[in-house]
């Protein structure tokens, strides 16, 4: 089992940067791919970034290229999402997730590949 707790959200101004953190418990976190999703009111949850279990491979959807940076520190059982040049449309609840599989080195990119989810952290960007 893996438990995930996000932190680092808040109310920020457009143009600023934010670093979200995901603290994991459970011995298998560093054996799983990890991802960050977000869900804005009235919209579907969407992937913003994902990373392989080793941290050597990352994936960003085309729509998220350039302003998001995902990273992880397996020694600390933690993952991070850096968001630069924040925009009001980035306002959403951001979720950390860990993959179902523990035997793959690939980057999980589909939501069905993720089995463990945090409670989310709210990011609100004012214009």
């Amino acid at each position: 089992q893996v438990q995930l707790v996000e932190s680092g959200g808040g109310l920020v101004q457009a143009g600023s940067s934010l670093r979200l953190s995901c603290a994991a418990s459970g011995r298998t976190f560093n054996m799983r791919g990890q991802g960050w999703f977000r869900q804005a009111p009235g919209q579907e949850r969407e992937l913003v970034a994902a990373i392989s279990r080793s941290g050597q491979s990352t994936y960003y959807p085309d729509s998220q290229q350039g302003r998001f940076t995902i990273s992880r520190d397996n020694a600390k059982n933690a993952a991070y999402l850096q968001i630069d040049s924040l925009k009001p449309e980035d306002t959403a609840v951001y979720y950390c997730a860990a993959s179902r599989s523990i035997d793959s080195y690939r980057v999980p990119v589909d939501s069905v590949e993720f089995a463990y989810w945090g409670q989310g952290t709210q990011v609100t960007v004012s214009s």
Side-chain angles (χ1 to χ4, degrees):
Q1 290 289 339
V2 176
Q3 291 78 44
L4 305 171
V5 179
E6 303 92 338
S7 62
L11 174 62
V12 296
Q13 289 190 330
S16 61
S17 297
L18 206 58
R19 189 193 197 206
L20 306 182
S21 298
C22 176
S25 60
R27 293 185 300 169
T28 64
F29 175 74
N30 60 6
M31 300 168 66
R32 303 177 187 271
Q34 187 269 330
W36 285 93
F37 291 76
R38 70 181 182 185
Q39 186 167 23
Q43 298 188 19
E44 293 187 355
R45 185 173 57 193
E46 63 174 347
L47 176 72
V48 296
I51 192 167
S52 63
R53 57 187 268 181
S54 69
Q56 291 184 333
S57 298
T58 58
Y59 169 80
Y60 304 92
D62 290 343
S63 58
Q64 314 301 347
Q65 291 281 352
R67 297 189 301 115
F68 295 83
T69 305
I70 189 172
S71 61
R72 66 188 299 166
D73 185 339
N74 286 338
K76 296 182 178 179
N77 259 18
Y80 309 96
L81 181 70
Q82 175 77 25
I83 314 174
D84 297 318
S85 302
L86 279 154
K87 304 175 182 180
E89 49 264 43
D90 293 321
T91 295
V93 178
Y94 285 73
Y95 298 92
C96 172
S99 70
R100 188 182 317 277
S101 171
I102 61 172
D103 59 0
S104 173
Y105 287 88
R106 62 184 296 278
V107 180
V109 299
D110 194 301
S111 61
V112 299
E113 298 184 74
F114 294 89
Y116 304 96
W117 297 83
Q119 293 298 308
T121 185
Q122 175 71 47
V123 173
T124 303
V125 184
S126 63
S127 57

